PDB file of all heavy atoms in Angstrom:
ATOM      1  N   LEU B1269     101.888-147.102 -65.159  1.00 98.00           N
ATOM      2  CA  LEU B1269     100.887-146.529 -64.251  1.00 98.00           C
ATOM      3  C   LEU B1269      99.899-147.583 -63.741  1.00 98.00           C
ATOM      4  O   LEU B1269      99.100-147.311 -62.848  1.00 98.00           O
ATOM      5  CB  LEU B1269     100.088-145.427 -64.961  1.00 98.00           C
ATOM      6  CG  LEU B1269     100.845-144.172 -65.390  1.00 98.00           C
ATOM      7  CD1 LEU B1269      99.961-143.294 -66.266  1.00 98.00           C
ATOM      8  CD2 LEU B1269     101.307-143.393 -64.155  1.00 98.00           C
ATOM      9  N   LEU B1270      99.944-148.786 -64.345  1.00 98.00           N
ATOM     10  CA  LEU B1270      98.955-149.818 -64.018  1.00 98.00           C
ATOM     11  C   LEU B1270      98.855-150.170 -62.530  1.00 98.00           C
ATOM     12  O   LEU B1270      97.744-150.201 -61.990  1.00 98.00           O
ATOM     13  CB  LEU B1270      99.241-151.095 -64.807  1.00 98.00           C
ATOM     14  CG  LEU B1270      98.503-151.264 -66.141  1.00 98.00           C
ATOM     15  CD1 LEU B1270      99.043-152.473 -66.880  1.00 98.00           C
ATOM     16  CD2 LEU B1270      96.998-151.429 -65.915  1.00 98.00           C
ATOM     17  N   PRO B1271      99.982-150.453 -61.857  1.00 97.00           N
ATOM     18  CA  PRO B1271      99.847-150.849 -60.447  1.00 97.00           C
ATOM     19  C   PRO B1271      99.102-149.811 -59.609  1.00 97.00           C
ATOM     20  O   PRO B1271      98.240-150.163 -58.806  1.00 97.00           O
ATOM     21  CB  PRO B1271     101.303-151.004 -59.982  1.00 97.00           C
ATOM     22  CG  PRO B1271     102.059-151.318 -61.230  1.00 97.00           C
ATOM     23  CD  PRO B1271     101.373-150.542 -62.321  1.00 97.00           C
ATOM     24  N   ASN B1272      99.404-148.549 -59.820  1.00 98.00           N
ATOM     25  CA  ASN B1272      98.713-147.529 -59.024  1.00 98.00           C
ATOM     26  C   ASN B1272      97.251-147.383 -59.437  1.00 98.00           C
ATOM     27  O   ASN B1272      96.384-147.116 -58.610  1.00 98.00           O
ATOM     28  CB  ASN B1272      99.432-146.182 -59.119  1.00 98.00           C
ATOM     29  CG  ASN B1272      99.131-145.305 -57.918  1.00 98.00           C
ATOM     30  OD1 ASN B1272      99.482-145.656 -56.789  1.00 98.00           O
ATOM     31  ND2 ASN B1272      98.429-144.200 -58.145  1.00 98.00           N
ATOM     32  N   ALA B1273      96.991-147.565 -60.739  1.00 98.00           N
ATOM     33  CA  ALA B1273      95.601-147.506 -61.203  1.00 98.00           C
ATOM     34  C   ALA B1273      94.783-148.618 -60.545  1.00 98.00           C
ATOM     35  O   ALA B1273      93.630-148.411 -60.144  1.00 98.00           O
ATOM     36  CB  ALA B1273      95.546-147.635 -62.725  1.00 98.00           C
ATOM     37  N   VAL B1274      95.381-149.792 -60.409  1.00 98.00           N
ATOM     38  CA  VAL B1274      94.700-150.910 -59.746  1.00 98.00           C
ATOM     39  C   VAL B1274      94.345-150.531 -58.309  1.00 98.00           C
ATOM     40  O   VAL B1274      93.218-150.742 -57.847  1.00 98.00           O
ATOM     41  CB  VAL B1274      95.574-152.189 -59.785  1.00 98.00           C
ATOM     42  CG1 VAL B1274      95.046-153.252 -58.827  1.00 98.00           C
ATOM     43  CG2 VAL B1274      95.650-152.735 -61.207  1.00 98.00           C
ATOM     44  N   GLU B1275      95.319-149.938 -57.603  1.00 98.00           N
ATOM     45  CA  GLU B1275      95.057-149.545 -56.206  1.00 98.00           C
ATOM     46  C   GLU B1275      93.925-148.525 -56.137  1.00 98.00           C
ATOM     47  O   GLU B1275      93.051-148.595 -55.271  1.00 98.00           O
ATOM     48  CB  GLU B1275      96.320-148.957 -55.557  1.00 98.00           C
ATOM     49  CG  GLU B1275      97.547-149.866 -55.563  1.00 98.00           C
ATOM     50  CD  GLU B1275      97.341-151.194 -54.851  1.00 98.00           C
ATOM     51  OE1 GLU B1275      96.535-151.261 -53.904  1.00 98.00           O
ATOM     52  OE2 GLU B1275      97.985-152.180 -55.263  1.00 98.00           O
ATOM     53  N   GLU B1276      93.949-147.568 -57.055  1.00 98.00           N
ATOM     54  CA  GLU B1276      92.933-146.516 -57.042  1.00 98.00           C
ATOM     55  C   GLU B1276      91.541-147.082 -57.339  1.00 98.00           C
ATOM     56  O   GLU B1276      90.548-146.680 -56.727  1.00 98.00           O
ATOM     57  CB  GLU B1276      93.312-145.415 -58.046  1.00 98.00           C
ATOM     58  CG  GLU B1276      92.290-144.308 -58.213  1.00 98.00           C
ATOM     59  CD  GLU B1276      92.092-143.425 -56.974  1.00 98.00           C
ATOM     60  OE1 GLU B1276      92.607-143.767 -55.890  1.00 98.00           O
ATOM     61  OE2 GLU B1276      91.400-142.395 -57.104  1.00 98.00           O
ATOM     62  N   LEU B1277      91.480-148.026 -58.268  1.00 98.00           N
ATOM     63  CA  LEU B1277      90.186-148.640 -58.577  1.00 98.00           C
ATOM     64  C   LEU B1277      89.689-149.473 -57.392  1.00 98.00           C
ATOM     65  O   LEU B1277      88.496-149.465 -57.065  1.00 98.00           O
ATOM     66  CB  LEU B1277      90.287-149.490 -59.851  1.00 98.00           C
ATOM     67  CG  LEU B1277      90.464-148.658 -61.134  1.00 98.00           C
ATOM     68  CD1 LEU B1277      90.943-149.531 -62.289  1.00 98.00           C
ATOM     69  CD2 LEU B1277      89.159-147.930 -61.512  1.00 98.00           C
ATOM     70  N   LEU B1278      90.608-150.172 -56.737  1.00 98.00           N
ATOM     71  CA  LEU B1278      90.230-150.932 -55.537  1.00 98.00           C
ATOM     72  C   LEU B1278      89.677-149.991 -54.472  1.00 98.00           C
ATOM     73  O   LEU B1278      88.683-150.278 -53.812  1.00 98.00           O
ATOM     74  CB  LEU B1278      91.448-151.675 -54.981  1.00 98.00           C
ATOM     75  CG  LEU B1278      91.920-152.893 -55.773  1.00 98.00           C
ATOM     76  CD1 LEU B1278      93.347-153.281 -55.381  1.00 98.00           C
ATOM     77  CD2 LEU B1278      90.980-154.077 -55.532  1.00 98.00           C
ATOM     78  N   ARG B1279      90.327-148.833 -54.330  1.00 98.00           N
ATOM     79  CA  ARG B1279      89.891-147.844 -53.339  1.00 98.00           C
ATOM     80  C   ARG B1279      88.505-147.306 -53.655  1.00 98.00           C
ATOM     81  O   ARG B1279      87.615-147.308 -52.812  1.00 98.00           O
ATOM     82  CB  ARG B1279      90.895-146.671 -53.289  1.00 98.00           C
ATOM     83  CG  ARG B1279      90.514-145.591 -52.294  1.00 98.00           C
ATOM     84  CD  ARG B1279      91.316-144.318 -52.475  1.00 98.00           C
ATOM     85  NE  ARG B1279      90.907-143.538 -53.635  1.00 98.00           N
ATOM     86  CZ  ARG B1279      89.867-142.711 -53.653  1.00 98.00           C
ATOM     87  NH1 ARG B1279      89.114-142.539 -52.587  1.00 98.00           N
ATOM     88  NH2 ARG B1279      89.575-142.033 -54.754  1.00 98.00           N
ATOM     89  N   VAL B1280      88.336-146.851 -54.887  1.00 98.00           N
ATOM     90  CA  VAL B1280      87.095-146.182 -55.266  1.00 98.00           C
ATOM     91  C   VAL B1280      85.888-147.105 -55.082  1.00 98.00           C
ATOM     92  O   VAL B1280      84.845-146.685 -54.600  1.00 98.00           O
ATOM     93  CB  VAL B1280      87.188-145.681 -56.726  1.00 98.00           C
ATOM     94  CG1 VAL B1280      85.819-145.362 -57.279  1.00 98.00           C
ATOM     95  CG2 VAL B1280      88.065-144.448 -56.783  1.00 98.00           C
ATOM     96  N   PHE B1281      86.034-148.379 -55.444  1.00 98.00           N
ATOM     97  CA  PHE B1281      84.874-149.276 -55.382  1.00 98.00           C
ATOM     98  C   PHE B1281      84.742-149.992 -54.036  1.00 98.00           C
ATOM     99  O   PHE B1281      83.636-150.290 -53.611  1.00 98.00           O
ATOM    100  CB  PHE B1281      84.906-150.282 -56.535  1.00 98.00           C
ATOM    101  CG  PHE B1281      84.545-149.657 -57.852  1.00 98.00           C
ATOM    102  CD1 PHE B1281      85.489-149.483 -58.853  1.00 98.00           C
ATOM    103  CD2 PHE B1281      83.251-149.225 -58.072  1.00 98.00           C
ATOM    104  CE1 PHE B1281      85.148-148.901 -60.064  1.00 98.00           C
ATOM    105  CE2 PHE B1281      82.891-148.629 -59.285  1.00 98.00           C
ATOM    106  CZ  PHE B1281      83.842-148.475 -60.286  1.00 98.00           C
ATOM    107  N   SER B1282      85.851-150.298 -53.384  1.00 97.00           N
ATOM    108  CA  SER B1282      85.789-150.973 -52.073  1.00 97.00           C
ATOM    109  C   SER B1282      84.645-151.984 -52.042  1.00 97.00           C
ATOM    110  O   SER B1282      83.690-151.875 -51.268  1.00 97.00           O
ATOM    111  CB  SER B1282      85.601-149.938 -50.959  1.00 97.00           C
ATOM    112  OG  SER B1282      86.611-148.974 -51.015  1.00 97.00           O
ATOM    113  N   ILE B1283      84.738-152.980 -52.908  1.00 97.00           N
ATOM    114  CA  ILE B1283      83.592-153.856 -53.168  1.00 97.00           C
ATOM    115  C   ILE B1283      83.198-154.738 -51.982  1.00 97.00           C
ATOM    116  O   ILE B1283      82.096-155.238 -51.929  1.00 97.00           O
ATOM    117  CB  ILE B1283      83.833-154.755 -54.405  1.00 97.00           C
ATOM    118  CG1 ILE B1283      85.081-155.624 -54.221  1.00 97.00           C
ATOM    119  CG2 ILE B1283      83.934-153.928 -55.674  1.00 97.00           C
ATOM    120  CD1 ILE B1283      85.220-156.681 -55.304  1.00 97.00           C
ATOM    121  N   SER B1284      84.115-154.910 -51.040  1.00 95.00           N
ATOM    122  CA  SER B1284      83.775-155.736 -49.885  1.00 95.00           C
ATOM    123  C   SER B1284      83.682-154.857 -48.638  1.00 95.00           C
ATOM    124  O   SER B1284      84.281-155.124 -47.602  1.00 95.00           O
ATOM    125  CB  SER B1284      84.825-156.836 -49.710  1.00 95.00           C
ATOM    126  OG  SER B1284      84.421-157.734 -48.715  1.00 95.00           O
ATOM    127  N   ASP B1285      82.868-153.827 -48.771  1.00 95.00           N
ATOM    128  CA  ASP B1285      82.755-152.772 -47.756  1.00 95.00           C
ATOM    129  C   ASP B1285      82.554-153.304 -46.352  1.00 95.00           C
ATOM    130  O   ASP B1285      83.209-152.888 -45.404  1.00 95.00           O
ATOM    131  CB  ASP B1285      81.583-151.860 -48.162  1.00 95.00           C
ATOM    132  CG  ASP B1285      81.327-150.735 -47.186  1.00 95.00           C
ATOM    133  OD1 ASP B1285      82.285-150.299 -46.527  1.00 95.00           O
ATOM    134  OD2 ASP B1285      80.172-150.285 -47.095  1.00 95.00           O
ATOM    135  N   SER B1286      81.621-154.225 -46.200  1.00 92.00           N
ATOM    136  CA  SER B1286      81.249-154.656 -44.852  1.00 92.00           C
ATOM    137  C   SER B1286      81.709-156.077 -44.566  1.00 92.00           C
ATOM    138  O   SER B1286      81.185-156.762 -43.700  1.00 92.00           O
ATOM    139  CB  SER B1286      79.736-154.553 -44.678  1.00 92.00           C
ATOM    140  OG  SER B1286      79.091-155.312 -45.686  1.00 92.00           O
ATOM    141  N   GLY B1287      82.731-156.530 -45.321  1.00 91.00           N
ATOM    142  CA  GLY B1287      83.287-157.858 -45.081  1.00 91.00           C
ATOM    143  C   GLY B1287      84.064-157.917 -43.778  1.00 91.00           C
ATOM    144  O   GLY B1287      84.534-158.971 -43.371  1.00 91.00           O
ATOM    145  N   THR B1288      84.220-156.789 -43.138  1.00 94.00           N
ATOM    146  CA  THR B1288      85.037-156.699 -41.932  1.00 94.00           C
ATOM    147  C   THR B1288      84.149-156.575 -40.700  1.00 94.00           C
ATOM    148  O   THR B1288      84.122-155.540 -40.040  1.00 94.00           O
ATOM    149  CB  THR B1288      85.981-155.492 -42.040  1.00 94.00           C
ATOM    150  OG1 THR B1288      85.243-154.403 -42.642  1.00 94.00           O
ATOM    151  CG2 THR B1288      87.161-155.803 -42.912  1.00 94.00           C
ATOM    152  N   ALA B1289      83.396-157.625 -40.400  1.00 97.00           N
ATOM    153  CA  ALA B1289      82.513-157.643 -39.232  1.00 97.00           C
ATOM    154  C   ALA B1289      83.265-158.207 -38.032  1.00 97.00           C
ATOM    155  O   ALA B1289      84.015-159.170 -38.162  1.00 97.00           O
ATOM    156  CB  ALA B1289      81.285-158.491 -39.534  1.00 97.00           C
ATOM    157  N   ARG B1290      83.074-157.589 -36.890  1.00 98.00           N
ATOM    158  CA  ARG B1290      83.793-158.000 -35.689  1.00 98.00           C
ATOM    159  C   ARG B1290      82.889-157.924 -34.459  1.00 98.00           C
ATOM    160  O   ARG B1290      81.848-157.283 -34.495  1.00 98.00           O
ATOM    161  CB  ARG B1290      85.010-157.067 -35.447  1.00 98.00           C
ATOM    162  CG  ARG B1290      86.066-157.053 -36.561  1.00 98.00           C
ATOM    163  CD  ARG B1290      86.826-158.363 -36.637  1.00 98.00           C
ATOM    164  NE  ARG B1290      87.954-158.269 -37.566  1.00 98.00           N
ATOM    165  CZ  ARG B1290      87.887-158.567 -38.861  1.00 98.00           C
ATOM    166  NH1 ARG B1290      86.738-158.968 -39.385  1.00 98.00           N
ATOM    167  NH2 ARG B1290      88.945-158.472 -39.632  1.00 98.00           N
ATOM    168  N   VAL B1291      83.336-158.536 -33.378  1.00 98.00           N
ATOM    169  CA  VAL B1291      82.690-158.387 -32.074  1.00 98.00           C
ATOM    170  C   VAL B1291      83.768-157.989 -31.075  1.00 98.00           C
ATOM    171  O   VAL B1291      84.838-158.609 -31.048  1.00 98.00           O
ATOM    172  CB  VAL B1291      82.070-159.721 -31.586  1.00 98.00           C
ATOM    173  CG1 VAL B1291      81.280-159.496 -30.304  1.00 98.00           C
ATOM    174  CG2 VAL B1291      81.196-160.340 -32.646  1.00 98.00           C
ATOM    175  N   ALA B1292      83.480-156.976 -30.272  1.00 98.00           N
ATOM    176  CA  ALA B1292      84.437-156.590 -29.234  1.00 98.00           C
ATOM    177  C   ALA B1292      84.439-157.657 -28.151  1.00 98.00           C
ATOM    178  O   ALA B1292      83.393-158.156 -27.754  1.00 98.00           O
ATOM    179  CB  ALA B1292      84.053-155.238 -28.650  1.00 98.00           C
ATOM    180  N   THR B1293      85.633-158.039 -27.685  1.00 98.00           N
ATOM    181  CA  THR B1293      85.711-159.027 -26.603  1.00 98.00           C
ATOM    182  C   THR B1293      86.120-158.357 -25.292  1.00 98.00           C
ATOM    183  O   THR B1293      86.298-159.017 -24.272  1.00 98.00           O
ATOM    184  CB  THR B1293      86.724-160.145 -26.931  1.00 98.00           C
ATOM    185  OG1 THR B1293      88.013-159.554 -27.076  1.00 98.00           O
ATOM    186  CG2 THR B1293      86.342-160.874 -28.206  1.00 98.00           C
ATOM    187  N   ALA B1294      86.292-157.047 -25.354  1.00 98.00           N
ATOM    188  CA  ALA B1294      86.589-156.254 -24.164  1.00 98.00           C
ATOM    189  C   ALA B1294      86.065-154.858 -24.469  1.00 98.00           C
ATOM    190  O   ALA B1294      85.748-154.567 -25.625  1.00 98.00           O
ATOM    191  CB  ALA B1294      88.095-156.207 -23.905  1.00 98.00           C
TER     192      ALA B1294
END
Side-chain angles (χ1 to χ4, degrees):
Chain B
L1269 295 171
L1270 266 172
N1272 204 64
V1274 166
E1275 303 301 330
E1276 176 67 350
L1277 290 164
L1278 287 163
R1279 180 193 75 81
V1280 163
F1281 286 110
S1282 305
I1283 59 170
S1284 187
D1285 179 29
S1286 56
T1288 40
R1290 299 291 188 269
V1291 186
T1293 61

